[in-house]
Amino acid sequence: MIKVHISKKSSNSKVGKIPVTTSEAGTCPTTCPMWDGCYAKTGPQSWHWRKVTDGERGGTWDDLASFVSQLNAGQLWRHNVSGDLPYVTAPDGQELINLALLKQLIDANKASGAKGYTYSHHKLNTHNLEALKYSNSNGFTINASCESLAQADDARRLGLPAVCVVPSDEVTPSHTPDGHKVTVCPAQLHEKVSCSNCKLCSYSNRSQVVAFLAHGAREKKVNVNLHS
């Protein structure tokens, strides 16, 4: 059973007062390059995440689907402040997104006409790529999370919206190597901007790459990793 916590209104000023979720840590792929630098592994979000993972908070995936199916049409909501998409491990060791659970969420989002979005660090093997493309084509935006602008270009060539973590101690390039415009997360730059009124990451058909400046308690470590 996948454990998920739902916050009907986020208390994070950078996100804004929209519904957000947190999925148990077991949804994160073991291959995630941010495993040791994840912002969600320190501070209040880490305490919350641990309680969700331990089953002290939250509910089931069915609860999530039911909640999403009853949102108002056009309601922006963010899946996974921390956590990723549930997966199964194939005999060859590949971690494959659970298609049944993902489709359940896509269908719930479509039923309400809500505007859901999230990010995923799952490897873009054929199975996962097709899962993400299906989701993006059916109203639930899943951004490919990348660690370099070159990787973001790879994701764009595969037809996916992309976001990228960039060092906070240097100037962010205005374009990727392939020429896609790079936009630093507006909520990181402007006090009055939040996910709730920006919505950039929720558009699956955008060409620009959204860059997130390394942040959080592990900012220095992330900068070092990005430079290496």
Side-chain angles (χ1 to χ4, degrees):
M1 181 183 73
I2 302 299
K3 297 181 284 292
V4 185
H5 180 271
I6 300 165
S7 296
K8 293 182 180 180
K9 287 187 178 181
S10 171
S11 59
N12 186 317
S13 61
K14 294 297 183 184
V15 175
K17 296 185 181 302
I18 60 172
V20 297
T21 69
T22 295
S23 294
E24 63 175 90
T27 58
C28 288
T30 61
T31 54
C32 176
M34 297 299 290
W35 192 266
D36 293 326
C38 180
Y39 74 93
K41 288 189 174 182
T42 60
Q45 180 61 23
S46 71
W47 309 332
H48 172 59
W49 195 15
R50 191 174 302 113
K51 289 185 177 182
V52 174
T53 300
D54 292 342
E56 297 177 33
R57 290 180 181 173
T60 67
W61 193 264
D62 286 345
D63 294 332
L64 169 64
S66 176
F67 173 76
V68 172
S69 71
Q70 297 176 61
L71 290 172
N72 292 328
Q75 172 64 58
L76 183 73
W77 69 280
R78 174 180 170 179
H79 184 42
N80 290 340
V81 174
S82 49
D84 208 304
L85 301 171
Y87 66 90
V88 295
T89 303
D92 62 1
Q94 289 192 87
E95 295 171 344
L96 308 177
I97 293 170
N98 187 315
L99 298 181
L101 295 184
L102 177 57
K103 188 173 188 302
Q104 184 182 4
L105 186 57
I106 293 169
D107 289 347
N109 187 70
K110 184 181 292 186
S112 64
K115 194 172 182 61
Y117 73 102
T118 190
Y119 311 88
S120 179
H121 262 118
H122 277 290
K123 282 195 169 182
L124 299 180
N125 53 45
T126 300
H127 174 101
N128 293 341
L129 174 61
E130 291 305 312
L132 268 56
K133 289 173 71 173
Y134 176 83
S135 185
N136 282 303
S137 296
N138 284 275
F140 181 59
T141 300
I142 304 177
N143 293 274
S145 292
C146 307
E147 280 63 56
S148 72
L149 294 179
Q151 283 184 17
D153 278 336
D154 291 340
R156 290 297 304 124
R157 283 193 290 271
L158 292 170
L160 298 176
V163 299
C164 181
V165 178
V166 295
S168 60
D169 56 358
E170 64 179 37
V171 176
T172 302
S174 61
H175 291 80
T176 69
D178 278 2
H180 292 106
K181 181 180 178 181
V182 176
T183 300
V184 175
C185 169
Q188 287 190 304
L189 300 180
H190 307 289
E191 184 177 344
K192 294 185 178 181
V193 178
S194 65
C195 299
S196 63
N197 56 35
C198 172
K199 304 181 182 180
L200 186 58
C201 291
S202 71
Y203 296 107
S204 62
N205 60 350
R206 69 176 194 276
S207 62
Q208 67 211 88
V209 172
V210 178
F212 294 107
L213 301 174
H215 61 284
R218 302 190 181 187
E219 176 181 343
K220 291 182 179 180
K221 183 173 184 178
V222 173
N223 281 337
V224 170
N225 290 342
L226 292 172
H227 288 308
S228 62

PDB file of all heavy atoms in Angstrom, residues 128-140:
ATOM      1  N   ASN A 128       9.157   3.959 -18.651  1.00  0.00           N
ATOM      2  CA  ASN A 128       8.890   5.188 -17.904  1.00  0.00           C
ATOM      3  C   ASN A 128       8.633   6.373 -18.823  1.00  0.00           C
ATOM      4  O   ASN A 128       7.789   7.228 -18.534  1.00  0.00           O
ATOM      5  CB  ASN A 128      10.037   5.485 -16.951  1.00  0.00           C
ATOM      6  CG  ASN A 128      10.138   4.470 -15.836  1.00  0.00           C
ATOM      7  OD1 ASN A 128       9.191   3.745 -15.555  1.00  0.00           O
ATOM      8  ND2 ASN A 128      11.305   4.384 -15.201  1.00  0.00           N
ATOM      9  N   LEU A 129       9.367   6.425 -19.924  1.00  0.00           N
ATOM     10  CA  LEU A 129       9.165   7.512 -20.874  1.00  0.00           C
ATOM     11  C   LEU A 129       7.742   7.495 -21.415  1.00  0.00           C
ATOM     12  O   LEU A 129       7.077   8.542 -21.467  1.00  0.00           O
ATOM     13  CB  LEU A 129      10.170   7.399 -22.025  1.00  0.00           C
ATOM     14  CG  LEU A 129       9.976   8.392 -23.175  1.00  0.00           C
ATOM     15  CD1 LEU A 129      10.106   9.829 -22.690  1.00  0.00           C
ATOM     16  CD2 LEU A 129      10.993   8.109 -24.288  1.00  0.00           C
ATOM     17  N   GLU A 130       7.272   6.327 -21.804  1.00  0.00           N
ATOM     18  CA  GLU A 130       5.922   6.237 -22.350  1.00  0.00           C
ATOM     19  C   GLU A 130       4.877   6.571 -21.285  1.00  0.00           C
ATOM     20  O   GLU A 130       3.842   7.177 -21.588  1.00  0.00           O
ATOM     21  CB  GLU A 130       5.683   4.847 -22.937  1.00  0.00           C
ATOM     22  CG  GLU A 130       6.493   4.558 -24.190  1.00  0.00           C
ATOM     23  CD  GLU A 130       6.286   5.600 -25.278  1.00  0.00           C
ATOM     24  OE1 GLU A 130       5.112   5.943 -25.564  1.00  0.00           O
ATOM     25  OE2 GLU A 130       7.284   6.095 -25.836  1.00  0.00           O
ATOM     26  N   ALA A 131       5.144   6.192 -20.036  1.00  0.00           N
ATOM     27  CA  ALA A 131       4.224   6.509 -18.942  1.00  0.00           C
ATOM     28  C   ALA A 131       4.122   8.022 -18.759  1.00  0.00           C
ATOM     29  O   ALA A 131       3.019   8.581 -18.618  1.00  0.00           O
ATOM     30  CB  ALA A 131       4.696   5.842 -17.654  1.00  0.00           C
ATOM     31  N   LEU A 132       5.255   8.703 -18.764  1.00  0.00           N
ATOM     32  CA  LEU A 132       5.261  10.155 -18.582  1.00  0.00           C
ATOM     33  C   LEU A 132       4.617  10.866 -19.771  1.00  0.00           C
ATOM     34  O   LEU A 132       3.863  11.832 -19.596  1.00  0.00           O
ATOM     35  CB  LEU A 132       6.686  10.656 -18.368  1.00  0.00           C
ATOM     36  CG  LEU A 132       7.165  10.763 -16.908  1.00  0.00           C
ATOM     37  CD1 LEU A 132       7.035   9.435 -16.173  1.00  0.00           C
ATOM     38  CD2 LEU A 132       8.615  11.239 -16.856  1.00  0.00           C
ATOM     39  N   LYS A 133       4.891  10.382 -20.962  1.00  0.00           N
ATOM     40  CA  LYS A 133       4.294  11.004 -22.152  1.00  0.00           C
ATOM     41  C   LYS A 133       2.775  10.834 -22.145  1.00  0.00           C
ATOM     42  O   LYS A 133       2.032  11.753 -22.504  1.00  0.00           O
ATOM     43  CB  LYS A 133       4.913  10.405 -23.415  1.00  0.00           C
ATOM     44  CG  LYS A 133       6.365  10.834 -23.627  1.00  0.00           C
ATOM     45  CD  LYS A 133       7.023  10.101 -24.779  1.00  0.00           C
ATOM     46  CE  LYS A 133       6.514  10.520 -26.110  1.00  0.00           C
ATOM     47  NZ  LYS A 133       7.286   9.905 -27.223  1.00  0.00           N
ATOM     48  N   TYR A 134       2.307   9.661 -21.731  1.00  0.00           N
ATOM     49  CA  TYR A 134       0.867   9.427 -21.655  1.00  0.00           C
ATOM     50  C   TYR A 134       0.225  10.391 -20.657  1.00  0.00           C
ATOM     51  O   TYR A 134      -0.823  10.983 -20.928  1.00  0.00           O
ATOM     52  CB  TYR A 134       0.587   7.986 -21.230  1.00  0.00           C
ATOM     53  CG  TYR A 134      -0.884   7.686 -21.040  1.00  0.00           C
ATOM     54  CD1 TYR A 134      -1.697   7.365 -22.121  1.00  0.00           C
ATOM     55  CD2 TYR A 134      -1.464   7.750 -19.766  1.00  0.00           C
ATOM     56  CE1 TYR A 134      -3.060   7.120 -21.950  1.00  0.00           C
ATOM     57  CE2 TYR A 134      -2.823   7.509 -19.587  1.00  0.00           C
ATOM     58  CZ  TYR A 134      -3.619   7.187 -20.676  1.00  0.00           C
ATOM     59  OH  TYR A 134      -4.956   6.946 -20.498  1.00  0.00           O
ATOM     60  N   SER A 135       0.868  10.549 -19.512  1.00  0.00           N
ATOM     61  CA  SER A 135       0.337  11.441 -18.483  1.00  0.00           C
ATOM     62  C   SER A 135       0.265  12.874 -18.988  1.00  0.00           C
ATOM     63  O   SER A 135      -0.762  13.549 -18.837  1.00  0.00           O
ATOM     64  CB  SER A 135       1.209  11.367 -17.225  1.00  0.00           C
ATOM     65  OG  SER A 135       0.661  12.138 -16.186  1.00  0.00           O
ATOM     66  N   ASN A 136       1.353  13.337 -19.602  1.00  0.00           N
ATOM     67  CA  ASN A 136       1.385  14.710 -20.095  1.00  0.00           C
ATOM     68  C   ASN A 136       0.371  14.948 -21.207  1.00  0.00           C
ATOM     69  O   ASN A 136      -0.120  16.070 -21.376  1.00  0.00           O
ATOM     70  CB  ASN A 136       2.794  15.057 -20.582  1.00  0.00           C
ATOM     71  CG  ASN A 136       3.741  15.359 -19.445  1.00  0.00           C
ATOM     72  OD1 ASN A 136       3.494  16.241 -18.636  1.00  0.00           O
ATOM     73  ND2 ASN A 136       4.843  14.623 -19.354  1.00  0.00           N
ATOM     74  N   SER A 137       0.035  13.914 -21.946  1.00  0.00           N
ATOM     75  CA  SER A 137      -0.947  14.037 -23.024  1.00  0.00           C
ATOM     76  C   SER A 137      -2.380  13.970 -22.510  1.00  0.00           C
ATOM     77  O   SER A 137      -3.321  14.230 -23.261  1.00  0.00           O
ATOM     78  CB  SER A 137      -0.734  12.928 -24.067  1.00  0.00           C
ATOM     79  OG  SER A 137       0.523  13.057 -24.696  1.00  0.00           O
ATOM     80  N   ASN A 138      -2.525  13.595 -21.234  1.00  0.00           N
ATOM     81  CA  ASN A 138      -3.858  13.410 -20.682  1.00  0.00           C
ATOM     82  C   ASN A 138      -4.143  14.283 -19.466  1.00  0.00           C
ATOM     83  O   ASN A 138      -4.918  13.914 -18.583  1.00  0.00           O
ATOM     84  CB  ASN A 138      -4.070  11.932 -20.348  1.00  0.00           C
ATOM     85  CG  ASN A 138      -4.336  11.095 -21.579  1.00  0.00           C
ATOM     86  OD1 ASN A 138      -5.473  11.001 -22.045  1.00  0.00           O
ATOM     87  ND2 ASN A 138      -3.276  10.509 -22.138  1.00  0.00           N
ATOM     88  N   GLY A 139      -3.489  15.440 -19.424  1.00  0.00           N
ATOM     89  CA  GLY A 139      -3.878  16.463 -18.468  1.00  0.00           C
ATOM     90  C   GLY A 139      -3.158  16.516 -17.141  1.00  0.00           C
ATOM     91  O   GLY A 139      -3.366  17.447 -16.366  1.00  0.00           O
ATOM     92  N   PHE A 140      -2.317  15.511 -16.863  1.00  0.00           N
ATOM     93  CA  PHE A 140      -1.557  15.526 -15.608  1.00  0.00           C
ATOM     94  C   PHE A 140      -0.087  15.701 -15.962  1.00  0.00           C
ATOM     95  O   PHE A 140       0.541  14.805 -16.533  1.00  0.00           O
ATOM     96  CB  PHE A 140      -1.772  14.239 -14.825  1.00  0.00           C
ATOM     97  CG  PHE A 140      -1.038  14.203 -13.502  1.00  0.00           C
ATOM     98  CD1 PHE A 140      -1.282  15.173 -12.531  1.00  0.00           C
ATOM     99  CD2 PHE A 140      -0.104  13.214 -13.235  1.00  0.00           C
ATOM    100  CE1 PHE A 140      -0.610  15.149 -11.321  1.00  0.00           C
ATOM    101  CE2 PHE A 140       0.575  13.178 -12.020  1.00  0.00           C
ATOM    102  CZ  PHE A 140       0.322  14.148 -11.064  1.00  0.00           C
TER     103      PHE A 140
END
